[in-house]
Amino acid sequence: MALKKTASNAQGFTAVDAYHRVENVILVGKDRIAFNVRAYKEQGLPFFADENYNCAYELNGANPIAQAYAHLKSLSEFSGAVDC
């Protein structure tokens, strides 16, 4: 699973329909997860942007990666992002 949306990095590079993937998911206690979201111009190329996020985690809910994507979709910066 991944999300597609336009993204820019601190150096000013912008990629339209960049591929955003949740990576490095870490359980923080029993009720939180921390993870990176890396943006790629295309699958298979090196990432050009990397952001850290964290959110609540429900032990009896979906797997941590699915919960991370659900959290991202709730953020204004990912509004309009589509699954890919």
Side-chain angles (χ1 to χ4, degrees):
M1 178 178 204
L3 297 173
K4 188 187 300 188
K5 76 173 199 86
T6 299
S8 299
N9 67 10
Q11 291 76 28
F13 175 77
T14 299
V16 175
D17 292 336
Y19 180 84
H20 293 75
R21 190 170 68 195
V22 168
E23 300 182 5
N24 305 320
V25 178
I26 300 169
L27 295 174
V28 181
K30 294 180 182 178
D31 61 355
R32 296 208 64 80
I33 54 174
F35 54 94
N36 296 76
V37 175
R38 291 185 171 158
Y40 300 82
K41 183 175 185 222
E42 296 177 21
Q43 291 183 40
L45 294 178
F47 65 89
F48 67 89
D50 184 22
E51 295 290 332
N52 299 314
Y53 293 88
N54 68 75
C55 66
Y57 171 65
E58 293 186 33
L59 185 61
N60 294 321
N63 71 61
I65 294 172
Q67 290 186 44
Y69 279 111
H71 173 71
L72 292 176
K73 290 178 182 181
S74 75
L75 301 175
S76 61
E77 64 193 274
F78 281 89
S79 70
V82 296
D83 293 336
C84 60

